[in-house]
Amino acid sequence: MSDFKMKDIEWAKINEDVLASLESPRKAFWIVLAVCFALVLCGVAAEIYQYNMGLGVALMNNPHYWQTYISNFVFWIGMSHSGTLLSAILLLTHADWRKPIYRFAEAMTFFSIATAAIFPVIHIGRVWDMYWVLPYPNQHAIWPNFRSPLLWDAFAITTYATSSALFLYIGMIPDLAICRDKAKGWRKKLYTAMSLGWMGRATEWIAFQKTYVLMACFLVPLAVSVHSIVASDFAMSIMPGWHVTSFPPYFVAGALYSGCAAIITLFVLLRYLFKFEAYMTPEIMDKTARLTFAIAMAWNFLNLSEYASIWYSHDMFEHEMLIDKFTGPYAGVVWTMLFCATVVPFAMAWKKVRVNMWAMFVISLLIQLGMWLERFQIVSPPLASNHEPWTQVVVWPGLVQMTITAASFGWFTMLFLIFCKVFPSVSMYEVKEMVYHRNKHGKQKLQDLDKIKDDMIKTEEGLS
């Protein structure tokens, strides 16, 4: 572990380093971007093939209507929760170690939702009818059923996507002004328009802080409600394996868990590609890994509670379903999920592992694999072991489904890398604030900070 501490960074160097990341990332950035683009092209080709041949080529048939596509949808919605939700919670609890990593975590949220939104359209098959997934009043009276969790699903996800985008944008305004003052050409025009004339006045900072904290307070309950509603899509059915009352907290914990793993993956990726070694330090990785470990234990507790409540219940159908999961045709999926999501996280109990970037990179990928399989094992086994004989069909994802699934990861990573190339992925003003607070001289000066702020407000009011 390096002896270099973040408090040793000079303020002027923070601007230079972050602005340099927008111009000259490592060459590996272009290689990763090219691979992601190739995956997206493969996904487009698979979707065109599915469009021409019909949904049968995706092996979707009664009763396996969604299968892999709904697994992907729930996985990406879940991943979207951690970025904005954790950023808001850590902001409200004054955890300063969030400052170098919260920007890209919030961006992860937005692009995860953008990726999840693709799957209902793909699933429809008739893409020209994509507006059918929106809850608008129509002559068929299909959607405006306010007792259906599907309706509230659309409202909650749309509200969360809009709020997350606003939260991300508002937090970037001071940094966009810094970029505006240094940039040239098309970048200067873009940053000038998006910075909204920010000049860094004391009154602007006060309004900014109030707005940012208010939005954080609004986003925390909203994020929890969104995944609770997604869980209700399953829990309100009478299908054995889905009719579980603990699904809402279980889904929320699972969403936070997979999102934290994704943050670790992107942490290591950005640290290397954009040369952020001085900002994304082993110390911050250590704290992120501890948080992930704590959430992993909460998720495992809820998972084991679900198994125990079914095992000791008198519901023979749920009992059969649980045994079938561990011994039936999908047993390999369930055991692999338990290894990746339950056993692997215990490696984070050791500090040497938590501060090792590439070890954490591998662990985070295994956890995400486990959480994707967790979504899959929720959807497929109950559909394959229904009590109607004609529905007892074991179906595995085909080439088309897996190609589109791989393309979704390429699509997400491609959008995310483009964002980091255009916009500062490390918050310059908050890192400066963090460095200032960690500097012992800064702590002494903080005593006079309120007096300085009041003087500046009076000065600006006098000028106006």
Side-chain angles (χ1 to χ4, degrees), residues 91-119:
L91 172 70
L92 296 175
T93 55
H94 302 288
D96 73 340
W97 59 269
R98 68 179 270 284
K99 292 173 180 173
I101 62 172
Y102 82 88
R103 176 72 52 74
F104 80 77
E106 291 173 6
M108 180 191 82
T109 289
F110 182 72
F111 295 122
S112 297
I113 297 174
T115 306
I118 294 173
F119 284 97

Side-chain angles (χ1 to χ4, degrees), residues 69-343:
Y69 292 155
I70 197 171
S71 303
N72 288 327
F73 176 75
V74 178
F75 174 81
W76 286 110
I77 286 292
M79 186 185 288
S80 71
H81 278 62
S82 197
T84 300
L85 180 58
L86 286 179
S87 174
I89 292 174
L90 295 176
L91 172 70
L92 296 175
T93 55
H94 302 288
D96 73 340
W97 59 269
R98 68 179 270 284
K99 292 173 180 173
I101 62 172
Y102 82 88
R103 176 72 52 74
F104 80 77
E106 291 173 6
M108 180 191 82
T109 289
F110 182 72
F111 295 122
S112 297
I113 297 174
T115 306
I118 294 173
F119 284 97
V121 178
I122 293 174
H123 164 68
I124 288 174
R126 302 169 183 173
V127 293
W128 59 89
D129 288 331
M130 65 175 69
Y131 61 91
W132 284 11
V133 301
L134 299 175
Y136 71 99
N138 60 65
Q139 68 273 24
H140 303 297
I142 296 173
W143 266 102
N145 177 9
F146 287 92
R147 293 175 296 178
S148 169
L150 289 172
L151 175 65
W152 293 104
D153 224 4
F155 283 141
I157 292 172
T158 306
T159 306
Y160 186 61
T162 308
S163 304
S164 298
L166 279 174
F167 192 57
L168 170 65
Y169 173 60
I170 289 173
M172 284 200 306
I173 289 176
D175 281 346
L176 291 173
I178 297 173
C179 296
R180 173 200 62 198
D181 297 338
K182 302 287 184 181
K184 296 178 181 176
W186 67 270
R187 283 181 181 269
K188 190 172 185 66
K189 293 179 182 176
L190 175 68
Y191 299 141
T192 300
M194 294 189 69
S195 60
L196 303 177
W198 177 272
M199 297 301 292
R201 299 185 182 95
T203 48
E204 291 176 340
W205 277 109
I206 292 171
F208 169 79
Q209 292 290 352
K210 286 181 179 176
T211 306
Y212 202 50
V213 171
L214 188 64
M215 288 206 67
C217 295
F218 169 70
L219 276 166
V220 172
L222 177 64
V224 173
S225 69
V226 170
H227 220 56
S228 298
I229 294 172
V230 173
S232 299
D233 293 342
F234 294 92
M236 291 183 71
S237 72
I238 58 171
M239 176 80 77
W242 291 359
H243 190 57
V244 181
T245 53
S246 62
F247 257 14
Y250 174 70
F251 267 53
V252 172
L256 285 171
Y257 186 23
S258 60
C260 280
I263 288 174
I264 292 173
T265 305
L266 296 176
F267 183 110
V268 179
L269 200 62
L270 286 187
R271 186 177 191 268
Y272 176 73
L273 295 180
F274 290 95
K275 308 172 189 175
F276 283 141
E277 287 84 354
Y279 302 91
M280 299 178 183
T281 61
E283 176 197 357
I284 295 175
M285 175 60 87
D286 182 36
K287 288 183 167 55
T288 309
R290 288 184 186 200
L291 181 64
T292 306
F293 183 72
I295 294 172
M297 294 303 103
W299 177 83
N300 276 293
F301 170 76
L302 290 167
N303 194 29
L304 295 175
S305 298
E306 180 193 330
Y307 292 155
S309 62
I310 294 173
W311 184 256
Y312 290 108
S313 73
H314 297 291
D315 189 331
M316 59 177 288
F317 302 108
E318 293 281 359
H319 207 256
E320 286 177 3
M321 175 56 59
L322 183 63
I323 294 174
D324 186 67
K325 272 190 177 182
F326 284 92
T327 60
Y330 292 102
V333 172
V334 176
W335 288 109
T336 305
M337 179 271 289
L338 288 175
F339 173 76
C340 292
T342 301
V343 178

